[in-house]
Amino acid sequence: MSDLRGMFVDTSICTGCKACQVACKEWNEMAPGVPLPMEDEAAVREHRAFTGNSYDNTSHLSATNWRHVKFIEQIGPDPSSSDRSDPRWLMMSDSCKHCVQAGCLEVCPTGALYRTEFGSVDIHQDVCIGCRYCVGACPFGVIAFNKRTGRVNKCILCQDRLEIGMGTACAKACPTSSLVFGTVSELQSMASDRVKLLHSRGQTDAYIYGWDLGNSGKITAGPNKGTAVKDVEVVGGLNVFYLLLDKPEVYGLPAHASLPQRNFVPSAGVALISAAVLGVTGLAAFRRRRMDENATAGTEATNAN
Amino acid sequence: MPIKYVLPPEWEWPITIALFLAGLAAGTYSVMGLIHFAGDKRDEPVLYRLGFIPMPIMIVVPLLLIYDLGQQGRFLNLLIKSPGAPERGGPLMFNANSPMNWGSWAMVIFAGFAALAFADSLHQSGRIRLGWLVPIAHSKILLAIGEFFAMVVSGYSGVLIAVTNQGVWSDTWLMGGLFICFSELSGMAVAAIVCDRMGAVHTAAAVRRALFTFAAISAVFLVLFLGGLATQQDGSLAALIASLHELVGVAFWVGAVGLALLVPLVMLAPRPIVRVPNGSLALIGVLVLVGVLAFRYAMFFSAISFVQS
């Protein structure tokens, strides 16, 4: 298990420089892509569309943006009031979490999504048929359909770099060590130490999203000030996990992500029950006709007598 | 609501039509099974006419799926492992955790039973002599197995969309049951049309009763589905309602609720609520089919529509 590789994303020191996004695009030779949403087609063609969301120009993860830096502006304790005395700006570099129990991998009908020797979740592009089932199954909205290739794409934790002993391109480019690449066990230890350090310095809102390392705290600023937070283990653990300073929902992360397979057996069971009910009632409809005929014949015979 | 965090799978109209047609073929085959097991000699003309329906449909279904996927080989890789697949272990592709694999294999096996029914109908019509086939085609055990696979084809797409993280779809366990109900409803609607066109009064009596019963069961499932969403704390019913706008809303309320359920419930009630003119069974059947297609459309696009809204 010590060979498992992952990343620790410390949002407390992310400056939103987007070097990770650029490094990801460059290393993986991805097309520039277009800002989303794409209502203004002319603007999209000229790469000058605005998302209307802070300094965010790619809006969310997509087939050509495997990494996305989120900008979360919290202006004052109440966003609806004009009080702008206590602003804060949260930033987070987001990507595939390479879940220990990956829903996308579980539902893939062709084996295109697979677990690498490093514990990450990679996609064999030659094997992907573009059925898009994994897109709906991912609880984080990470995997995206690439209309140009007819296949899906997501962060593959720089598998080609890992195979030759290098780390991920994004972590290499990060100027503040907000993104750290390493073995998951080392990263967990580093994350726990970091949370403790922040807590000792009064930043008591720091906690880990992805693994439950036993930390807990209280949000110190923004609209959720005073809300208790604690480490969250998500879908059996995330190989790419985060240090957050506010509720997961604030960062666009689900507080209770779950595997799609939770519904398989119950849903199939209900389907079987409904099939049985329909079968029995259908048979009864045909049988009852015969009974009605027999009753009619009996009545006619009685009348004849 | 956690449902906003996921991306829509971007399934489009070929998928909706393909799964509607697969359900229609499976539903029709199921009705044939009911006639085999509980019908009599007088139902045979309808039975053999119905036998012509499932197989041609099951030829169209993979064509639509191939059109959606873009390449023929991609569809085959649902069944046969791609040479590049990393985890070898046999030439066939089957991931027990993926309802899509279950459904793909069920459709292939069901297509075999549909072909058998087609050949039997050809023989019974006197167009081709295939006497040796009759004992096989009428074997109760084989018919029961065929019925099982027809049911799997009817319902697997409901289970498939429940096994995701999409809002509405994954918030209920009833999706598979609901899809089976509407597939069987469409099969019985086809039987109603065939009975009406053939003037098969005897079979029509049972089909009318079954169509009413299936509509009633489907209505109960739909109410349970909506009720189940309403009891969830994450606002799933609100998500569904929010997604039911424009064409999706029309498809749900007018198509699924109005045409597929209310039409047979009102017009085929044991004590008629409205006076139904003779020869209207085919019309009811057509309306139900349109309603079932609308149901498929509304269900597929409700979650997608919500995520995109």
Side-chain angles (χ1 to χ4, degrees), chain A residues 106-109 129 131-133 135-137 140-141 147 149-150 249 252 258 262-263 266 271 274 289-290 292-293, chain B residues 5 8-11 38-39 42-43 68 74 93 95 97-98 101 160 162-163 165-166 170 173 177 180 202 209 221:
Chain A
E106 291 289 316
V107 300
C108 178
I129 61 169
C131 70
R132 289 150 277 174
Y133 197 15
V135 175
F140 303 104
K147 287 185 175 159
T149 62
E249 296 92 328
S258 47
R262 71 192 183 280
N263 286 334
S274 68
R289 178 190 59 182
R290 197 180 294 170
D292 289 347
E293 284 174 351
Chain B
Y5 304 120
E10 300 190 46
W11 287 326
R42 288 170 291 176
D43 295 319
D68 181 71
R74 290 184 174 182
M93 184 65 227
N95 173 3
N97 286 323
S98 177
N101 268 139
L160 185 152
V163 181
N165 268 307
Q166 297 286 317
S170 62
W173 292 347
I180 286 188
H202 176 71
R209 181 172 287 144
F221 263 82

Side-chain angles (χ1 to χ4, degrees), chain B residues 143-162:
Chain B
L143 281 168
I145 296 170
E147 283 294 303
F148 172 77
F149 282 102
M151 287 294 181
V152 175
V153 171
S154 294
Y156 94 88
S157 48
V159 176
L160 185 152
I161 63 173

Side-chain angles (χ1 to χ4, degrees), chain A residues 3-117:
Chain A
D3 286 328
L4 293 181
R5 300 292 197 278
M7 298 220 297
F8 168 48
V9 183
D10 184 349
T11 68
S12 69
I13 49 173
C14 178
T15 61
C17 70
K18 299 187 197 175
C20 51
Q21 253 184 267
V22 174
C24 177
K25 270 194 173 284
E26 197 168 308
W27 180 261
N28 293 294
E29 298 180 331
M30 279 182 281
V34 289
L36 298 171
M38 303 187 288
E39 284 86 4
D40 185 350
E41 288 186 16
V44 166
R45 277 198 297 275
E46 294 162 23
H47 302 283
R48 58 175 176 76
F50 292 107
T51 62
N53 178 25
S54 191
Y55 287 91
D56 190 347
N57 64 342
T58 48
S59 187
H60 54 69
L61 295 169
S62 71
T64 53
N65 291 299
W66 298 354
R67 182 159 286 283
H68 168 236
V69 177
K70 295 180 175 177
F71 290 76
I72 302 133
E73 292 178 12
Q74 293 181 330
I75 311 295
D78 178 7
S80 60
S81 80
S82 57
D83 178 9
R84 293 175 174 242
S85 58
D86 187 19
R88 78 169 175 169
W89 210 352
L90 302 171
M91 290 149 195
M92 187 187 92
S93 180
D94 194 17
S95 69
C96 174
K97 282 82 183 161
H98 298 278
C99 312
V100 172
Q101 294 171 31
C104 58
L105 187 151
E106 291 289 316
V107 300
C108 178
T110 63
L113 283 150
Y114 70 102
R115 180 81 58 191
T116 70
E117 66 270 38

Side-chain angles (χ1 to χ4, degrees), chain A:
Chain A
M1 295 295 280
S2 58
D3 286 328
L4 293 181
R5 300 292 197 278
M7 298 220 297
F8 168 48
V9 183
D10 184 349
T11 68
S12 69
I13 49 173
C14 178
T15 61
C17 70
K18 299 187 197 175
C20 51
Q21 253 184 267
V22 174
C24 177
K25 270 194 173 284
E26 197 168 308
W27 180 261
N28 293 294
E29 298 180 331
M30 279 182 281
V34 289
L36 298 171
M38 303 187 288
E39 284 86 4
D40 185 350
E41 288 186 16
V44 166
R45 277 198 297 275
E46 294 162 23
H47 302 283
R48 58 175 176 76
F50 292 107
T51 62
N53 178 25
S54 191
Y55 287 91
D56 190 347
N57 64 342
T58 48
S59 187
H60 54 69
L61 295 169
S62 71
T64 53
N65 291 299
W66 298 354
R67 182 159 286 283
H68 168 236
V69 177
K70 295 180 175 177
F71 290 76
I72 302 133
E73 292 178 12
Q74 293 181 330
I75 311 295
D78 178 7
S80 60
S81 80
S82 57
D83 178 9
R84 293 175 174 242
S85 58
D86 187 19
R88 78 169 175 169
W89 210 352
L90 302 171
M91 290 149 195
M92 187 187 92
S93 180
D94 194 17
S95 69
C96 174
K97 282 82 183 161
H98 298 278
C99 312
V100 172
Q101 294 171 31
C104 58
L105 187 151
E106 291 289 316
V107 300
C108 178
T110 63
L113 283 150
Y114 70 102
R115 180 81 58 191
T116 70
E117 66 270 38
F118 303 109
S120 58
V121 179
D122 196 355
I123 305 172
H124 262 268
Q125 287 293 319
D126 291 348
V127 184
C128 176
I129 61 169
C131 70
R132 289 150 277 174
Y133 197 15
C134 53
V135 175
C138 173
F140 303 104
V142 164
I143 304 187
F145 183 57
N146 188 331
K147 287 185 175 159
R148 192 176 58 79
T149 62
R151 296 183 167 101
V152 294
N153 292 113
K154 71 169 190 73
C155 159
I156 53 171
L157 205 69
C158 289
Q159 174 70 9
D160 48 350
R161 292 172 63 98
L162 265 57
E163 281 172 358
I164 54 171
M166 298 170 76
T168 55
C170 53
K172 186 84 176 169
C174 181
T176 65
S177 297
S178 170
L179 297 181
V180 186
F181 172 80
T183 63
V184 172
S185 51
E186 283 172 359
L187 293 174
Q188 285 176 337
S189 168
M190 179 190 291
S192 204
D193 290 347
R194 175 71 182 158
V195 170
K196 287 182 178 69
L197 179 69
L198 287 172
H199 281 207
S200 69
R201 292 180 177 176
Q203 180 110 41
T204 58
D205 42 11
Y207 71 102
I208 300 300
Y209 181 86
W211 295 103
D212 186 357
L213 304 177
N215 301 295
S216 60
K218 198 171 270 188
I219 297 171
T220 55
N224 297 316
K225 188 175 181 177
T227 307
V229 283
K230 59 176 190 165
D231 289 357
V232 199
E233 182 167 311
V234 190
V235 287
L238 305 178
N239 286 333
V240 174
F241 55 100
Y242 301 81
L243 183 152
L244 304 180
L245 304 173
D246 207 325
K247 291 164 72 177
E249 296 92 328
V250 171
Y251 293 89
L253 297 168
H256 306 289
S258 47
L259 284 172
Q261 278 72 29
R262 71 192 183 280
N263 286 334
F264 197 172
V265 172
S267 193
V270 172
L272 277 176
I273 292 167
S274 68
V277 170
L278 289 162
V280 169
T281 52
L283 288 172
F286 280 88
R287 292 271 183 209
R288 196 168 157 200
R289 178 190 59 182
R290 197 180 294 170
M291 288 161 59
D292 289 347
E293 284 174 351
N294 290 343
T296 309
T299 310
E300 285 171 0
T302 310
N303 291 342
N305 291 334

